[in-house]
Amino acid sequence: MNRSPDLNRRRTIRDVATAAGVSISTASNALNDTGRINAETRERVRRIAKEIGFRPNAAARSLLGGRSHTVGIITNDTYGRLVLPMTAGVSEVLLEAGVSVFLCPTNNDPRLAHLHLEALLDKQVDGLIFTATRLDLEPPPALADLPIPIVHAFSEGPPERVSFVPDDAQGAELAVRHLLACGHRRIVHVTGEENYVVAHRRAQAYRALVSPEARVMFGEWTEEWGREAVEILFAGDGEKPGALFCGSDEIARGVIDALRDRRIRVPDDVAVIGFDNWEVVARQTRPPLSSIDMELKTIGRRAGEAVLALCRGETVPPGINRIACRLVPRDSCGRADHD
Amino acid sequence: MNRSPDLNRRRTIRDVATAAGVSISTASNALNDTGRINAETRERVRRIAKEIGFRPNAAARSLLGGRSHTVGIITNDTYGRLVLPMTAGVSEVLLEAGVSVFLCPTNNDPRLAHLHLEALLDKQVDGLIFTATRLDLEPPPALADLPIPIVHAFSEGPPERVSFVPDDAQGAELAVRHLLACGHRRIVHVTGEENYVVAHRRAQAYRALVSPEARVMFGEWTEEWGREAVEILFAGDGEKPGALFCGSDEIARGVIDALRDRRIRVPDDVAVIGFDNWEVVARQTRPPLSSIDMELKTIGRRAGEAVLALCRGETVPPGINRIACRLVPRDSCGRADHD
DNA sequence: ACGCTATGATAAAAGGTTTTAGCTCGCAAG
DNA sequence: CTTGCGAGCTAAAACCTTTTATCATAGCGT
């Protein structure tokens, strides 16, 4: 009956102070290295705090400081293939700063997005990272003028905001140059839907490098379309392409499969390069697919750093930051002559 | 200079009270429907609160109530394919209850896992959901006796905890029964690494249904292994299998590709069924792959409900909850005779 | 001896909400 | 007229931490 109450209550700074025989303020100063304090006292307080397992109450702290040390990520990604690497990057950066990440999957439902946004604002997140897998979908929900910093990752926000996106043009260049370096000519670009901004940007970069009239085949972002494109390209007896630069690894996979069906050797007869470096796909094609990695984790890290800086009141130059892509050579392009 | 200060300060309940000409307590009561209050007053307060855009400060609230209305998900998933659908389920359930979800990707790094755990505890999450893509990896980090409820999703926790996992045995049965219903005999099971618990469980269920000596081929969870298995099975001139039950969609994809190479028709000559229902794979095989869906979102939802109940102090029966899998028939098994 | 400074410690306020106990007023019962 | 009671409202405490202003003491120079 007379069991000591609160035995497993959370330890507060008051407990620390009492145990150390000092006042609450002194305890606080000791733990945060603020104010003037005797070195010995500080150590004692800290030791005791650790001993009794004291953890400062985040609620009290944010109540006072006005900062919650949390940020939210709003995403419409369903499969996680894009958002998880980014989130990993974000939280890697924020973890060091003691900031945690709320992940809000909206499932492409604007109503859900709105509810999540409300919830985040109620939780007083210090900042927001907005991510969308498809630029044409989901126009930011009433995201107009919130009282907190917003950073866009993998989606281009309005010019006054900070955005981080893959450098599609540079990625396309990387791909084309690699094909050229491997000695391939007559490159054709097989890519996804024409109304995707990224498809255009990549196609443009590709044409700038090859020729203004170089062939671009728009279609769907599927294997199916990759196979179909090969049918189209290799059916007649006109001149055949020597290399295919694909807009996604899925398309590339379709391409490679169709080439294989036709007994066309990769990379000897035709070279293929993909885009996304989606490992589960790229590593399992025959031969393994060379591809362009969009450095999602880096994008996440950069977005994390930006939102952190903004939360601290620092100023970050607004605009679109294009993060360099990385070439991941495997076996589908042969060997580069140089470099 | 004399501009009204705090114009864009957050509205507090005090602002509401002042504007409505009532005390803070009354305002609080009106908003939360607690205490005795005149209906008219209540409506007035609520109207004004909405007008001035009042949002209760979550920090103050949790400081008082001892609950933060947040839970954390700790995961080692790198690609997000498993964790994102689950997280979507979790947050769907929790959103209604005003609880938000911290996602912590540990990247299989125990140090990172530990840091995340610390951060979550500092944030005073009300509960924790622990998720691991591979049961053999990452033994829960010092997750032994935390002061908060812990639920396991997609990974089996200790018996005194609550866990939600796919019902692998039932899923395997579903697959085998489907093959049988489609008229296929001589089924072989091609699956992943022998030291995975799930591989065993599925194999066992398969044998129970087919025959105690039915053939099981353990290998890797890759397309490569799927192709290799086909080589092994169809190389000699012994009796050939009529159907292949694969342990993952990736394996199934390898199997289908290899069969295609050998000019063996699917499903006419050999039927194939996968496991995971990983759409990007299953929909793109030729023919599209029938598969078993593990209902990850449902697992997430159930885990969310459980952790919510536990946070509220309700008691949830501990133990492993096996969530039924779902058959997703496509074209790789032909048509079922009945049902 | 006196004033001044530096050091070390502390009391108290602040932050926004919920909750408990209490207050006032009007009305009905005695 | 007094007492009791309920409806409606409110003051104040509590939650935990940080920060500001204050206080006490010792040391030092004159």
Side-chain angles (χ1 to χ4, degrees):
Chain A
M1 292 302 122
N2 194 13
R3 162 160 46 99
S4 149
D6 304 342
L7 202 114
N8 47 10
R9 210 186 76 253
R10 269 186 77 103
R11 304 306 168 161
T12 75
I13 200 171
R14 155 173 262 117
D15 298 326
V16 177
T18 308
V22 297
S23 74
I24 293 183
S25 347
T26 302
S28 174
N29 281 329
L31 294 171
N32 301 317
D33 225 346
T34 54
R36 288 186 304 245
I37 200 169
N38 185 301
E40 194 206 340
T41 313
R42 181 173 55 228
E43 290 319 313
R44 181 161 43 93
V45 170
R46 290 191 169 177
R47 183 170 44 74
I48 289 178
K50 178 167 284 182
E51 268 174 31
I52 70 174
F54 166 71
R55 279 176 189 288
N57 184 319
R61 210 174 228 181
S62 38
L63 179 55
L64 204 50
R67 288 192 44 195
S68 64
H69 298 277
T70 59
V71 307
I73 298 187
I74 296 189
T75 184
N76 69 349
D77 189 2
T78 341
Y79 295 104
R81 143 187 170 210
L82 292 159
V83 84
L84 203 84
M86 278 195 285
T87 304
V90 171
S91 74
E92 186 183 301
V93 168
L94 297 193
L95 188 56
E96 314 252 316
V99 174
S100 298
V101 175
F102 287 118
L103 187 68
C104 303
T106 69
N107 210 13
N108 264 318
D109 175 351
R111 193 192 57 93
L112 210 53
H114 189 252
L115 285 175
H116 270 302
L117 193 56
E118 296 268 298
L120 288 179
L121 291 177
D122 283 351
K123 293 275 177 346
Q124 322 202 236
V125 290
D126 299 330
L128 222 52
I129 296 179
F130 185 82
T131 288
T133 61
R134 293 179 49 183
L135 310 154
D136 48 340
L137 276 179
E138 185 160 19
L143 198 96
D145 37 24
L146 294 179
I148 52 172
I150 302 176
V151 170
H152 290 250
F154 206 80
S155 87
E156 301 190 6
E160 71 275 15
R161 298 239 188 85
V162 183
S163 307
F164 296 91
V165 298
D167 191 337
D168 287 292
Q170 173 264 357
E173 278 178 33
L174 224 46
V176 173
R177 280 193 208 285
H178 182 59
L179 289 174
L180 293 173
C182 293
H184 304 288
R185 296 298 177 268
R186 286 168 290 118
I187 304 175
V188 169
H189 184 32
V190 181
T191 187
E193 294 169 41
E194 191 159 7
N195 57 1
Y196 274 59
V197 188
V198 298
H200 264 288
R201 236 193 277 281
R202 293 176 196 168
Q204 215 169 340
Y206 148 80
R207 279 194 169 127
L209 221 56
V210 178
S211 125
E213 293 86 25
R215 185 160 186 188
V216 176
M217 302 171 73
F218 291 103
E220 294 180 353
W221 299 104
T222 60
E223 294 187 30
E224 169 94 46
W225 162 238
R227 295 194 294 262
E228 204 179 315
V230 167
E231 293 312 310
I232 298 172
L233 286 168
F234 292 86
D237 25 58
E239 200 191 33
K240 304 294 188 295
L244 297 174
F245 164 33
C246 300
S248 78
D249 285 355
E250 286 172 273
I251 294 176
R253 162 133 223 186
V255 162
I256 285 186
D257 282 0
L259 290 174
R260 185 182 185 81
D261 284 354
R262 289 187 159 265
R263 300 271 182 281
I264 299 172
R265 292 168 307 164
V266 176
D268 307 79
D269 301 332
V270 175
V272 178
I273 190 166
F275 209 106
D276 284 356
N277 190 34
W278 191 11
E279 300 215 344
V280 277
V281 174
R283 296 174 91 134
Q284 293 292 326
T285 55
R286 289 172 293 168
L289 179 67
S290 299
S291 190
I292 303 296
D293 191 297
M294 295 188 289
E295 300 282 22
L296 295 172
K297 201 166 177 181
T298 304
I299 291 182
R301 265 197 293 261
R302 296 288 306 277
E305 287 162 4
V307 83
L308 199 57
L310 288 169
C311 290
R312 287 178 175 147
E314 301 165 21
T315 131
V316 177
I320 315 279
N321 295 277
R322 304 197 183 275
I323 307 300
C325 299
R326 178 174 53 99
L327 170 71
V328 181
R330 292 198 179 86
D331 307 333
S332 66
C333 299
R335 185 171 298 278
D337 292 339
H338 52 274
D339 213 338
Chain B
M1 291 305 119
N2 197 12
R3 161 161 46 99
S4 148
D6 304 341
L7 202 114
N8 47 10
R9 209 186 77 251
R10 269 185 77 103
R11 304 305 167 163
T12 74
I13 199 171
R14 154 171 264 121
D15 297 326
V16 177
T18 309
V22 297
S23 74
I24 293 183
S25 347
T26 303
S28 174
N29 281 330
L31 294 170
N32 301 318
D33 225 347
T34 54
R36 289 184 304 243
I37 199 167
N38 185 301
E40 193 206 339
T41 313
R42 180 173 54 231
E43 290 319 312
R44 182 162 42 92
V45 171
R46 288 191 171 176
R47 184 170 44 74
I48 289 179
K50 178 168 284 183
E51 269 174 29
I52 69 174
F54 166 71
R55 279 174 187 292
N57 184 320
R61 208 175 231 181
S62 39
L63 179 54
L64 204 49
R67 288 193 44 196
S68 65
H69 298 275
T70 59
V71 307
I73 298 188
I74 296 188
T75 184
N76 69 349
D77 189 2
T78 342
Y79 295 104
R81 143 187 171 212
L82 293 157
V83 84
L84 204 84
M86 278 195 285
T87 303
V90 171
S91 75
E92 187 183 300
V93 168
L94 297 193
L95 187 55
E96 314 253 316
V99 174
S100 299
V101 175
F102 288 118
L103 186 68
C104 303
T106 67
N107 209 13
N108 265 318
D109 175 351
R111 194 191 57 94
L112 210 53
H114 190 252
L115 286 174
H116 270 301
L117 193 56
E118 296 268 297
L120 288 179
L121 291 176
D122 282 349
K123 293 276 177 343
Q124 321 202 236
V125 290
D126 298 330
L128 221 53
I129 295 180
F130 185 83
T131 289
T133 61
R134 292 179 52 183
L135 310 152
D136 48 341
L137 276 180
E138 184 159 19
L143 198 97
D145 38 23
L146 294 179
I148 51 173
I150 302 175
V151 169
H152 291 249
F154 205 80
S155 86
E156 303 190 7
E160 69 276 13
R161 298 242 187 82
V162 184
S163 307
F164 296 91
V165 298
D167 191 339
D168 288 293
Q170 173 263 359
E173 278 179 29
L174 224 47
V176 173
R177 281 193 208 285
H178 182 59
L179 289 174
L180 293 173
C182 293
H184 303 288
R185 296 295 176 269
R186 284 168 291 119
I187 305 175
V188 170
H189 183 33
V190 182
T191 188
E193 294 169 40
E194 190 159 6
N195 57 1
Y196 274 60
V197 188
V198 298
H200 264 287
R201 238 193 277 280
R202 293 176 197 166
Q204 214 169 343
Y206 148 83
R207 279 196 170 127
L209 221 56
V210 178
S211 125
E213 293 87 25
R215 184 160 185 188
V216 176
M217 300 171 74
F218 291 103
E220 295 180 355
W221 299 104
T222 61
E223 294 188 29
E224 170 94 45
W225 162 237
R227 295 194 294 263
E228 204 179 314
V230 167
E231 293 312 310
I232 297 172
L233 286 168
F234 292 86
D237 24 58
E239 199 191 34
K240 303 294 188 296
L244 296 174
F245 164 33
C246 300
S248 78
D249 285 356
E250 285 173 272
I251 293 175
R253 160 133 226 186
V255 162
I256 286 186
D257 282 0
L259 290 173
R260 184 182 186 80
D261 283 353
R262 288 188 159 265
R263 300 270 182 282
I264 298 172
R265 291 171 308 164
V266 176
D268 306 79
D269 300 331
V270 175
V272 179
I273 190 164
F275 209 106
D276 283 356
N277 190 34
W278 191 12
E279 301 214 342
V280 278
V281 174
R283 296 175 91 135
Q284 293 292 327
T285 55
R286 287 173 295 170
L289 179 68
S290 299
S291 190
I292 302 297
D293 191 297
M294 295 189 287
E295 300 282 24
L296 296 172
K297 202 167 177 181
T298 304
I299 290 182
R301 265 196 293 262
R302 297 287 306 275
E305 287 161 5
V307 82
L308 199 57
L310 288 170
C311 290
R312 287 179 174 144
E314 302 165 22
T315 129
V316 176
I320 315 280
N321 295 277
R322 304 197 184 273
I323 307 299
C325 299
R326 178 173 53 97
L327 170 70
V328 180
R330 293 198 179 86
D331 307 333
S332 64
C333 301
R335 187 171 297 278
D337 292 341
H338 53 273
D339 213 339

